[in-house]
Amino acid sequence: MSTTEKPFETEEAAAAAGFATHHGEHDHGAGAGLIKPSYDERLTNEDLAPLKEQTWSWYNIFAFWMSDVHSVGGYITAGSLFALGLTSWQVFVCLIVGITIVLFFCNLVAKPSQRTGVPYPVICRSVFGVLGANIPAIIRGLIAVAWYGIQTYLASASLDILLVRMWPGLQPYADVTQHGFLGLSTLGYATFALLWVAQAAVFWTGMNTIRKFIDFAGPAVYVVMIALCIYLLSKAGWSVNLNLSDHELSGGKVFTTMLAATALVVSYFSGPMLNFGDFSRYGRTFKAVKKGNFWGLPVNFVFFSLLTVLTAAATLPVYGKLITDPVETVGHIDNTFALVLAALTFTTATIGINIVANFVSPAFDFSNVSPQKISWRMGGMIAAVGSVLLTPWNLYNSPETIHYTLDTLGAFIGPLFGVLIAHYYVVHKQRVCVDDLFTLDESGAYHYKRGYNPAAIWTTAIAAAFALAAVFVPGINRFDDYSWFIGCGVGFAVYALLAPRMGVSDSPLDQKVCVK
């Protein structure tokens, strides 16, 4: 067996090894891939193939996480932790512990894709089989489509508020009962369409433009957030109370609430954490990815949370009430420039988080289903169109629908993560045969049973059942805050035990060229 650290260092090395390299004006948005003649076209396109070059620095990974955190939802989530009845230092303990857990898991899931240069659904072929990988890909893709629509709708609703604040004459067009249909106002459709087109435009230009956009967006949002924080603190006389709750916990309730708060932090990142390989594949080295994760997760998230709580705390003495929604906070500022700047900031932040968390992922996922018919770009546009057809404004306004659809799909995220980590680190001992990810030949290491790995599929189903029980079964659903941990833990343990008993081991890799 031979081992290499990366797919190839140069295009010339790739060509010498028998890979097809592509030149010319035909641009594949996800990055130029290296395709061997032996690769089966039913599993291959240039977007899914191992990257010719891995060019992202630690800062690019850092900026990715900034874009994932900087959103209205992230602001409200961070602020809500300080309203649980915990003291400020207890909340920061939860934040630091939670984000450290996220950092640990992100480093685990980043390695196989960075080493091989392939995205999440392709690395899943080593786990679920070359055909079975479509199971996790479709589940993750559907979740992303729904949240893509919801995030776009929430940002458009924020824009509606600010536009009406600047031009009160628009108020009738923001009222769905006066001007609207299918549950959304005319102004709502206009702002939703504006954001939808803006996101699609950035996505369509490809990963290189996306990288440049998030490199800019993360720091830009911080500048505005810091300015808002300083403005409100000065208005409050530089004296605020960081305990935002109107009640105080004691005894065992403190411990259980801290556990729930820590779990909330991990759950918030569970989606992008699962498919982080879609981005870590671009990292120059695994060391660069880990450095970017460190600055983008614990450092960035704790600083963002500190800004959030300071800003929210300052609203109490300044406006006479606690405001945890940044849109409402800005709406109280009687300054047109500030409102316009806020509108641009919310738009930038939404485009950033939606692209990194909910656009790139389904693009790869849907492309994996039929690589020759669905390119990365087409996969992304399928997700974008699907997000509109779901009418996310109706979905968001029906908590019961969200509970029974997205929570059900979300219960699979933990199991999928646990199975992937168990397979890569325990069963196959950090080895991946890249060539066999792209072959349907029965001699391929990932052919298993007709292209499917029964051990991975059964384990996912078993672990998901445990996670679903924690969400839906009366008496057990008090553990719903921990459904990701339950699914991940059961998935990891069951697969590590079940896989060897069902004939899955690393012995088929001994005679193959592997990446480790």
Side-chain angles (χ1 to χ4, degrees):
M1 180 202 72
S2 62
T3 301
T4 182
E5 285 296 309
K6 299 174 69 173
F8 291 98
E9 294 290 344
T10 65
E11 184 174 341
E12 289 73 18
F19 279 77
T21 59
H22 297 261
H23 304 271
E25 298 179 358
H26 188 55
D27 171 41
H28 286 258
L34 303 167
I35 303 174
K36 274 189 175 181
S38 61
Y39 286 5
D40 194 300
E41 65 177 12
R42 290 169 291 180
L43 298 173
T44 312
N45 63 32
E46 197 171 350
D47 300 315
L48 299 176
L51 286 170
K52 180 175 67 178
E53 293 181 290
Q54 294 169 290
T55 59
W56 284 29
S57 68
W58 72 268
Y59 175 79
N60 301 135
I61 300 296
F62 171 37
F64 161 84
W65 288 117
M66 278 196 285
S67 289
D68 188 71
V69 170
H70 298 172
S71 68
V72 175
Y75 186 105
I76 294 173
T77 299
S80 68
L81 295 177
F82 288 86
L84 295 175
L86 300 171
T87 64
S88 56
W89 74 264
Q90 289 169 340
V91 173
F92 276 107
V93 168
C94 297
L95 288 172
I96 293 169
V97 172
I99 204 64
T100 301
I101 293 172
V102 173
L103 173 66
F104 173 73
F105 283 127
C106 280
N107 285 340
L108 287 181
V109 81
K111 189 173 185 179
S113 285
Q114 192 283 322
R115 290 294 198 232
T116 59
V118 299
Y120 168 72
V122 176
I123 209 68
C124 277
R125 294 175 184 176
S126 68
V127 185
F128 288 83
V130 288
L131 298 179
N134 285 324
I135 296 172
I138 291 173
I139 291 172
R140 177 65 184 106
L142 290 176
I143 294 171
V145 169
W147 280 114
Y148 175 84
I150 290 173
Q151 287 275 13
T152 303
Y153 162 66
L154 291 176
S156 69
S158 300
L159 279 182
D160 291 348
I161 294 171
L162 296 179
L163 289 174
V164 170
R165 179 83 167 73
M166 288 187 283
W167 296 289
L170 291 174
Q171 177 60 51
Y173 299 97
D175 186 349
V176 68
T177 61
Q178 296 184 56
H179 299 278
F181 61 97
L182 294 178
L184 189 63
S185 67
T186 301
L187 182 62
Y189 275 109
T191 53
F192 185 91
L194 174 67
L195 288 172
W196 191 94
V197 171
Q199 291 169 125
V202 173
F203 170 81
W204 191 262
T205 56
M207 282 301 297
N208 192 44
T209 302
I210 290 173
R211 176 183 58 79
K212 293 176 181 177
F213 179 83
I214 61 178
D215 284 352
F216 158 79
V221 172
Y222 258 142
V223 169
V224 176
M225 282 191 64
I226 292 171
L228 176 63
C229 183
I230 292 174
Y231 169 78
L232 289 173
L233 286 175
S234 65
K235 287 281 188 179
W238 305 100
S239 178
V240 295
N241 183 1
L242 297 185
N243 293 323
L244 306 184
S245 178
D246 56 2
H247 63 285
E248 191 169 320
L249 300 175
S250 60
K253 192 66 176 174
V254 172
F255 178 72
T256 56
T257 303
M258 288 182 70
L259 282 181
T262 302
L264 178 63
V265 172
V266 179
S267 296
Y268 178 81
F269 288 95
S270 62
M273 188 163 63
L274 177 63
N275 65 282
F276 181 53
D278 291 339
F279 294 89
S280 68
R281 71 183 297 227
Y282 296 98
R284 289 174 186 163
T285 63
F286 184 48
K287 182 179 180 181
V289 172
K290 289 192 293 183
K291 183 178 179 181
N293 284 347
F294 173 77
W295 284 98
L297 288 168
V299 176
N300 170 57
F301 185 65
V302 172
F303 181 66
F304 175 83
S305 299
L306 180 61
L307 274 180
T308 296
V309 69
L310 286 172
T311 303
T315 62
L316 192 57
V318 174
Y319 300 121
K321 61 178 181 178
L322 177 64
I323 305 173
T324 58
D325 186 338
V327 178
E328 186 180 349
T329 301
V330 172
H332 280 75
I333 300 175
D334 190 20
N335 183 294
T336 302
F337 173 75
L339 291 173
V340 172
L341 182 62
L344 291 174
T345 302
F346 292 140
T347 300
T348 300
T350 298
I351 293 174
I353 187 174
N354 245 352
I355 285 179
V356 301
N358 301 318
F359 214 147
V360 170
S361 168
F364 282 121
D365 293 335
F366 296 149
S367 180
N368 189 74
V369 174
S370 182
Q372 289 303 303
K373 296 179 180 179
I374 304 176
S375 67
W376 177 78
R377 282 195 175 98
M378 183 178 291
M381 295 315 296
I382 290 173
V385 172
S387 72
V388 178
L389 297 178
L390 283 174
T391 61
W393 45 90
N394 291 323
L395 184 63
Y396 182 76
N397 291 324
S398 176
E400 188 173 301
T401 302
I402 287 182
H403 182 57
Y404 285 106
T405 55
L406 291 181
D407 285 359
T408 300
L409 288 170
F412 283 87
I413 291 182
L416 291 175
F417 192 95
V419 171
L420 172 58
I421 297 304
H423 179 90
Y424 180 71
Y425 286 95
V426 178
V427 179
H428 273 191
K429 299 178 176 63
Q430 302 185 50
R431 291 192 293 171
V432 180
C433 177
V434 177
D435 289 354
D436 284 24
L437 295 172
F438 297 92
T439 180
L440 286 170
D441 193 289
E442 291 185 7
S443 64
Y446 311 120
H447 190 267
Y448 300 115
K449 303 290 185 181
R450 299 180 180 178
Y452 296 85
N453 179 3
I457 296 171
W458 276 110
T459 299
T460 301
I462 293 168
F466 277 87
L468 287 168
V471 175
F472 294 106
V473 177
I476 303 177
N477 58 7
R478 65 179 182 273
F479 298 109
D480 62 340
D481 289 336
Y482 311 100
S483 62
W484 185 89
F485 288 95
I486 293 170
C488 181
V490 173
F492 182 93
V494 171
Y495 187 78
L497 293 172
L498 187 62
R501 289 165 174 76
M502 295 186 70
V504 180
S505 70
D506 67 332
S507 57
L509 304 179
D510 290 341
Q511 304 304 317
K512 296 179 180 290
V513 177
C514 295
V515 173
K516 185 173 183 179

